[in-house]
Amino acid sequence: MRIICEGPYDLRLSWRMLSAFSGRSASRDGSLAMWWEGRPTAIFLRQTSMDPPVVEIIADPLPGKARRFQQHLRMVLNADLALEPFYRRLRRDRTLRPIVNSLIGLKPLRPPDIFQMLVIAISEQQISMTAANRVRERLLSSFGTPAGKLTAFPRPEDIAPRGVDELRACGLSQRKAEYLSELANKVVTGEIDFDSWEDMSDDELLGMLRSHRGIGEWTAEYMLVRGLGRTDVVPASDLGVRRVVGHYLAGGSDPAAQEVRELLAPWAPWRGLTAFYLLAHYRMIQMGLDQAQ
């Protein structure tokens, strides 16, 4: 199976950004564990051509509903995101031009399912990336399912029966364990329907997400830009976003959330994608990926 992507596309560069923050559900060699048709599935990805960008896919076990499976992976890979209009806009700016030129083909890859993104967002609330990664590693070890050498992320039905104390044992706070338990149960009972989210506007999604306990402004915005590929949404209160926007666009200052929104306003409808590129450049070029926090 193969996917022809909208170019430019550099899977290796994009994968480095994903695998740094995905724990054992993704590896650095282009392999990924996910659930498909009720089975933990190991996915192996390799880019075989840059022009046009072609990604070859091997799945173990072989997936059912192959066309839908391929479409799902197009979503994970952000294969249909057109970068050239975004690049043309940012190259007009003297500061952003070299950042874009150093990251050609970088696309923000999406987690393979929305519940995993919910867990990612809740685990990262008000703690460091390192601490959040430890929590997710423990969740994987406790409730994940082996898929080859990787581990498929726990599903809502894997989390819903667990008590709050079991979730706290993975490093979650009392409140976060309660939030995660409640959200998992809402997914299992159908109160939360992920399939309906794709057709909702950004504002509708943000309002709906904030109606659930444990999801505030930052979590909702983070869900949209990283989990749903909404490239104009910015988690403006995020400390990392504030740091890089201040570093590149505000003379090294520490802007508040509203100032971040104002500084990124000229780059609509790619404000979230612009912030992603600033983060990627700061982490991958200046700090080095292995030291990114």
Side-chain angles (χ1 to χ4, degrees):
M1 182 182 296
R2 68 176 191 163
I3 291 176
I4 300 176
C5 307
E6 181 78 27
Y9 191 30
D10 188 331
L11 177 63
R12 183 179 179 184
L13 178 61
S14 303
W15 198 266
R16 288 179 65 200
M17 194 67 173
L18 172 71
S19 62
F21 306 113
S22 297
R24 285 183 288 115
S25 62
S27 72
R28 291 178 184 256
D29 63 359
S31 54
L32 174 73
M34 58 179 276
W35 287 93
W36 185 255
E37 296 293 307
R39 296 189 296 180
T41 303
I43 313 295
F44 305 93
L45 304 168
R46 182 170 66 98
Q47 186 163 0
T48 57
S49 171
M50 298 296 286
D51 187 17
V54 177
V55 176
E56 286 191 351
I57 303 163
I58 298 174
D60 182 23
L62 289 174
K65 300 182 179 178
R67 289 188 65 181
R68 193 161 69 87
F69 177 78
Q70 185 182 53
Q71 191 61 35
H72 185 74
L73 285 184
R74 291 191 72 87
M75 177 274 293
V76 172
L77 296 173
N78 230 331
D80 298 313
L81 176 63
L83 290 174
E84 284 296 354
F86 168 68
Y87 288 165
R88 285 195 296 270
R89 173 78 69 85
L90 266 64
R91 281 177 175 140
R92 298 173 189 170
D93 183 271
R94 183 182 305 176
T95 299
L96 298 179
R97 187 183 307 124
I99 294 173
V100 166
N101 290 340
S102 69
L103 296 169
I104 295 297
L106 173 66
K107 293 190 179 185
L109 305 184
R110 293 167 59 177
D113 68 76
I114 298 175
F115 182 72
Q116 182 173 342
M117 185 62 227
L118 269 175
V119 177
I120 290 170
I122 289 173
S123 69
E124 292 181 11
Q125 290 173 349
Q126 299 180 327
I127 62 174
S128 71
M129 189 72 70
T130 300
N133 275 334
R134 284 198 296 266
V135 170
R136 294 198 292 271
E137 284 292 321
R138 291 172 185 167
L139 287 169
L140 277 170
S141 297
S142 299
F143 310 123
T145 302
K149 295 181 180 180
L150 299 175
T151 305
F153 206 81
R155 301 163 295 175
E157 54 264 45
D158 298 319
I159 297 296
R162 309 297 176 178
V164 169
D165 288 344
E166 288 183 88
L167 298 178
R168 288 189 63 195
C170 295
L172 291 164
S173 67
Q174 175 74 23
R175 285 289 180 86
K176 288 183 182 180
E178 292 173 1
Y179 300 156
L180 183 54
S181 177
E182 289 176 13
L183 290 166
N185 276 281
K186 286 181 178 181
V187 175
V188 169
T189 62
E191 183 176 344
I192 292 178
D193 177 18
F194 293 141
D195 290 338
S196 67
W197 290 16
E198 291 290 342
D199 296 326
M200 297 173 69
S201 70
D202 292 347
D203 287 342
E204 288 172 335
L205 275 168
L206 290 170
M208 180 274 295
L209 283 166
R210 288 196 297 263
S211 71
H212 296 286
R213 196 167 81 101
I215 300 181
E217 181 180 68
W218 175 86
T219 305
E221 290 173 339
Y222 189 36
M223 279 289 304
L224 261 67
V225 68
R226 184 174 174 190
L228 297 174
R230 303 298 180 99
T231 56
D232 199 37
V233 177
V234 183
S237 62
D238 183 270
L239 292 177
V241 171
R242 288 170 51 198
R243 181 190 303 125
V244 297
V245 170
H247 176 79
Y248 291 108
L249 302 180
S253 68
D254 181 19
Q258 183 55 38
E259 187 178 356
V260 167
R261 299 184 197 281
E262 293 168 0
L263 288 165
L264 290 173
W267 315 115
W270 300 288
R271 290 171 291 184
L273 189 58
T274 301
F276 172 73
Y277 264 66
L278 297 180
L279 282 164
H281 189 269
Y282 193 82
R283 289 171 173 167
M284 299 172 73
I285 306 300
Q286 294 196 352
M287 297 173 64
L289 185 61
D290 292 337
Q291 286 75 44
Q293 300 295 323

